Amino acid sequence: MSRSARTPFQTIRSEGGLLPADLLQRVASRDRDLPGLRDEDYHASDLPLNERIVRSWNRLVGAWTSFQDARAQLPADDPGTTLTRERLLLPLFEELGYGRLQTARAVEIEGRSYPVSHAWQHVPIHLVGCNVPLDRRTSGVAGAASHSPHGLLQELLNRSEERLWGFVSNGLLLRVLRDNSSLTRQAYLELDLEQMLASEAYADFVLLWLVCHESRLEAKRPHSCWLERWSQEAARQGTRALDSMRDGVERAISTLGAGFLSHPANATLREALRTGELPAQDYYRELLRLVYRLLFLFVAEDRGLLLSPDASAEARERYERWYSTARLRQLASRRRGTRHGDLYAALRLVMAKLGDDEGCPELGLPALGSFLWSHEATPHLAQAELSNEHLLEAIRSLATLREGKVLRTVDYRNLGAEELGSVYESLLELRPELNADAGTFELRLAAGNERKTTGSYYTPANLISCLLDSALDPVLEEAARKGEEAILDLKVVDPACGSGHFLVAAAHRIAKRLASLRTGDAEPSPEATRQALRDVVSRCLYGVDVNPMAVELCKVALWIEALDPGRPLSFLDAHIRCGNSLLGTT
């Protein structure tokens, strides 16, 4: 999968939803409904905006060629700082309207020094050499010796009242960072300059120019700049999108429910429902599990987590070309579908192989294990047929959101575990109404719904934060004083874990402290935090819930957060259990 799957940008990655993919698409298309994209908003000159961007591109392509030639002559132990700045990064920022950047003095905050290389108004811009990694310290290199360059800039933004946004780059990668002291996870926009310029990805450069131009950060108060206003609009849009996504999941379940019932080959399924051998509520649960398998595959594929790390290139190509849900989403965007059933047959094969003990090496699929992928989770649907028409209609409901007259693609790459869980929780309030003979299936809000009958009420995010502040932080700080192993020996237990909101938030908080201890940076790099998160999920988290599906979703949430490609869900089986923790029964 591409680094920025399900977006047209091959060299741009949005992490943590700071500037999510759907917002970037609106910027790239210069959406009239998104303010700040007129020519005059970019300090209109004699040239139209498109011509200004072409001029900048032509200059940068030439600068890149010159930089690459000189870079090849650098000694292995030379950080390349002067070369990278003079040949590439200073020309880039000049083309973005910042003029000739001036070197800056180290910023002092409460006795701590932050030697960021450059600044423009209230925007810190930290430029290091091409041989200096952004995510690790480099001994003897100014601006990278005591912190990783990324960590240095992030900590400065978090601790400074007057600085909100900033840039860090080594000429190969450019990252846009924001103060994230109030966030539970890291968030930034990464632009791969090396791939962008080497492959001449002009469309991606257009987006870079539109997002990083000095007019995006020029403001008397940082919180009133265009980037901040766009970020806030993305957050509001995300809230609206989540409501729309719930509606889409409900439509998908209804479409699938009716599709299975109406298919001529499914007489056995209809008879089981007619006689009560398969209760309507159990049929609904099977449909819900099928939909969550699809959502899981969307997220895992778009994050590049599904296929085994050792899968061959041929197996990867075979899966992506013929069996992936990315293909289904593409088909759903342009076709209505037919009465044939080949698409569901391929999907059914993928789901069966993920539940097998051996996976499917021919497709690069690992054995995920766990109840969610077992035959017992969807025994009737595993034997049923479904037309392409109904499957693609359901996929379309899951993959797109309608806002007014605009149809947008759901950004599954940046969809958090909390969003997946909240969608599931809202569906507990619904009950199915079906007619097996007529092939109709609908979901309606009902008084005796599963949320009430199982007592499934979930902890709000603001209360989770308060709980972590009071219950986890003191224990975490005490463990940190004893060292890394003391942190990994901590045990966090949620006796009513639901779909994992509390455990996911706790994992991020512990992981950040662990990564900070390992690196010595108050704001550890993304790679250090990802590795720490894997270790924390594997060793520190435990949960129990009376609802079997909630248990499975909790495992899915933690698996997604652990970002460990190909690892089976069953590695969490001993940590997340189904049972009644109040009564002590399973």
Side-chain angles (χ1 to χ4, degrees):
M1 295 293 168
S2 66
R3 297 182 64 189
S4 192
R6 302 296 297 163
T7 77
F9 314 116
Q10 298 305 307
T11 67
I12 299 173
R13 180 164 66 97
S14 176
E15 187 72 31
L18 180 65
L19 295 168
D22 51 354
L23 175 79
L24 297 178
Q25 288 178 281
R26 295 179 67 187
V27 173
S29 64
R30 300 188 65 185
D31 187 339
R32 293 182 180 180
D33 294 330
L34 185 65
L37 288 169
R38 300 171 302 172
D39 281 21
E40 50 265 41
D41 295 321
Y42 285 89
H43 305 322
S45 64
D46 294 338
L47 288 176
L49 196 57
N50 289 339
E51 292 186 28
R52 292 163 64 190
I53 297 174
V54 169
R55 184 186 63 184
S56 295
W57 169 254
N58 291 334
R59 183 186 176 192
L60 262 296
V61 169
W64 174 255
T65 301
S66 172
F67 165 69
Q68 283 291 81
D69 291 342
R71 179 188 174 197
Q73 307 301 318
L74 277 177
D77 59 348
D78 189 329
T81 304
T82 300
L83 169 67
T84 305
R85 290 174 181 172
E86 295 295 329
R87 295 286 183 94
L88 183 63
L89 291 178
L90 292 180
L92 170 62
F93 278 92
E94 192 171 352
E95 286 300 320
L96 293 174
Y98 296 86
R100 179 73 178 183
L101 290 177
Q102 301 300 309
T103 54
R105 293 181 178 179
V107 179
E108 302 287 338
I109 299 178
E110 298 177 358
R112 190 152 190 176
S113 179
Y114 299 92
V116 174
S117 65
H118 298 77
W120 182 83
Q121 295 186 8
H122 46 69
V123 181
I125 303 174
H126 193 32
L127 310 179
V128 296
C130 57
N131 290 334
V132 180
L134 294 183
D135 292 333
R136 297 197 305 273
R137 298 183 186 187
T138 304
S139 178
V141 175
S146 60
H147 302 70
S148 69
H150 180 108
L152 174 70
L153 182 64
Q154 188 65 72
E155 186 176 341
L156 172 59
L157 293 173
N158 288 358
R159 298 189 67 186
S160 173
E161 293 291 335
E162 63 271 20
R163 297 171 181 86
L164 185 63
W165 291 83
F167 298 99
V168 60
S169 180
N170 60 1
L172 308 179
L173 297 174
L174 171 66
R175 289 179 184 165
V176 184
L177 275 64
R178 183 195 182 280
D179 169 13
N180 71 356
S181 56
S182 62
L183 303 179
T184 59
R185 65 188 68 203
Q186 291 182 321
Y188 56 89
L189 181 68
E190 181 178 277
L191 304 106
D192 190 331
L193 295 177
E194 182 175 28
Q195 186 183 355
M196 184 184 298
L197 292 166
S199 65
E200 298 190 1
Y202 175 71
D204 288 18
F205 179 78
V206 171
L207 181 63
L208 181 155
W209 202 98
L210 293 172
V211 169
C212 299
H213 190 265
E214 60 88 12
S215 60
R216 306 302 89 187
L217 293 161
E218 183 182 48
K220 292 182 179 179
R221 294 176 57 256
H223 284 84
S224 63
C225 74
W226 281 117
L227 269 192
E228 182 64 14
R229 290 159 70 178
W230 283 353
S231 183
Q232 296 301 319
E233 168 61 21
R236 290 189 293 270
Q237 183 177 321
T239 301
R240 296 193 299 269
L242 186 57
D243 293 334
S244 299
M245 184 181 170
R246 293 190 186 103
D247 295 338
V249 170
E250 185 178 334
R251 287 197 305 274
I253 292 174
S254 297
T255 298
L256 292 171
F260 282 114
L261 288 178
S262 61
H263 197 285
N266 295 337
T268 302
L269 173 65
R270 288 189 291 272
E271 182 63 19
L273 286 164
R274 190 181 298 112
T275 62
E277 175 190 343
L278 175 62
Q281 191 66 21
D282 286 349
Y283 179 54
Y284 173 44
R285 291 192 182 104
E286 288 196 32
L287 293 168
L288 184 55
R289 289 166 191 154
L290 174 58
V291 165
Y292 261 87
R293 286 178 176 181
L294 287 168
L295 297 180
F296 176 96
L297 290 172
F298 293 172
V299 174
E301 284 183 9
D302 289 2
R303 292 191 181 187
L305 299 176
L306 180 64
L307 302 185
S308 299
D310 57 354
S312 67
E314 293 81 3
R316 290 177 179 274
E317 182 181 1
R318 189 179 297 117
Y319 176 79
E320 292 171 6
R321 185 173 182 180
W322 301 111
Y323 292 91
S324 69
T325 62
R327 174 176 178 256
L328 290 177
R329 284 175 276 173
Q330 290 169 358
L331 290 173
S333 69
R334 60 177 188 264
R335 294 186 191 175
R336 305 306 299 179
T338 65
R339 294 182 181 180
H340 298 91
D342 55 297
L343 297 180
Y344 181 66
L347 176 64
R348 189 170 53 198
L349 172 68
V350 169
M351 294 187 296
K353 292 298 183 182
L354 289 171
D356 281 352
D357 293 336
E358 298 179 359
C360 184
E362 296 83 358
L363 296 177
L365 294 172
L368 287 182
S370 84
F371 175 75
L372 180 61
W373 295 100
S374 68
H375 176 79
E376 291 74 19
T378 58
H380 296 85
L381 301 188
Q383 307 299 324
E385 300 293 333
L386 182 67
S387 70
N388 293 348
E389 178 184 10
H390 284 102
L391 178 60
L392 291 182
E393 184 180 345
I395 295 288
R396 200 158 36 246
S397 296
L398 296 174
T400 56
L401 304 172
R402 183 168 294 280
E403 295 183 6
K405 297 181 179 179
V406 179
L407 196 65
R408 304 195 189 282
T409 301
V410 179
D411 179 17
Y412 279 101
R413 189 186 189 285
N414 288 302
L415 190 71
E418 298 90 341
E419 286 89 344
L420 281 174
S422 66
V423 169
Y424 166 70
E425 291 154 16
S426 68
L427 295 173
L428 292 176
E429 298 180 344
L430 304 174
R431 289 185 68 87
E433 291 186 3
L434 61 86
N435 185 317
D437 295 320
T440 61
F441 183 95
E442 294 181 355
L443 293 174
R444 297 188 184 280
L445 190 66
N449 59 66
E450 192 164 351
R451 179 187 288 275
K452 292 185 177 180
T453 57
T454 62
S456 299
Y457 294 93
Y458 295 87
T459 312
N462 56 352
L463 182 53
I464 287 175
S465 182
C466 291
L467 285 171
L468 293 174
D469 291 344
S470 59
L472 178 61
D473 282 357
V475 178
L476 184 56
E477 287 307 311
E478 182 180 349
R481 287 193 287 270
K482 299 177 182 178
E484 177 180 329
E485 281 303 312
I487 292 180
L488 289 172
D489 285 339
L490 291 176
K491 300 292 182 278
V492 176
V493 181
D494 187 345
C497 62
S499 50
H501 292 197
F502 178 82
L503 291 177
V504 167
H508 278 277
R509 193 165 296 199
I510 298 171
K512 181 177 179 180
R513 191 68 185 88
L514 176 59
S516 180
L517 186 65
R518 288 173 171 175
T519 63
D521 294 342
E523 288 296 327
S525 69
E527 182 54 41
T529 304
R530 280 193 289 267
Q531 182 57 55
L533 194 56
R534 294 186 188 111
D535 295 338
V536 169
V537 169
S538 297
R539 293 184 54 176
C540 301
L541 306 179
Y542 296 82
V544 180
D545 201 275
V546 72
N547 186 320
M549 190 60 186
V551 169
E552 290 305 307
L553 293 181
C554 183
K555 292 177 187 176
V556 168
L558 293 174
W559 187 91
I560 289 171
E561 294 301 317
L563 295 172
D564 209 351
R567 192 170 190 179
L569 279 163
S570 54
F571 88 98
L572 288 166
D573 283 350
H575 288 216
I576 312 298
R577 305 299 294 268
C578 184
N580 190 319
S581 56
L582 184 63
L583 301 179
T585 61
T586 60

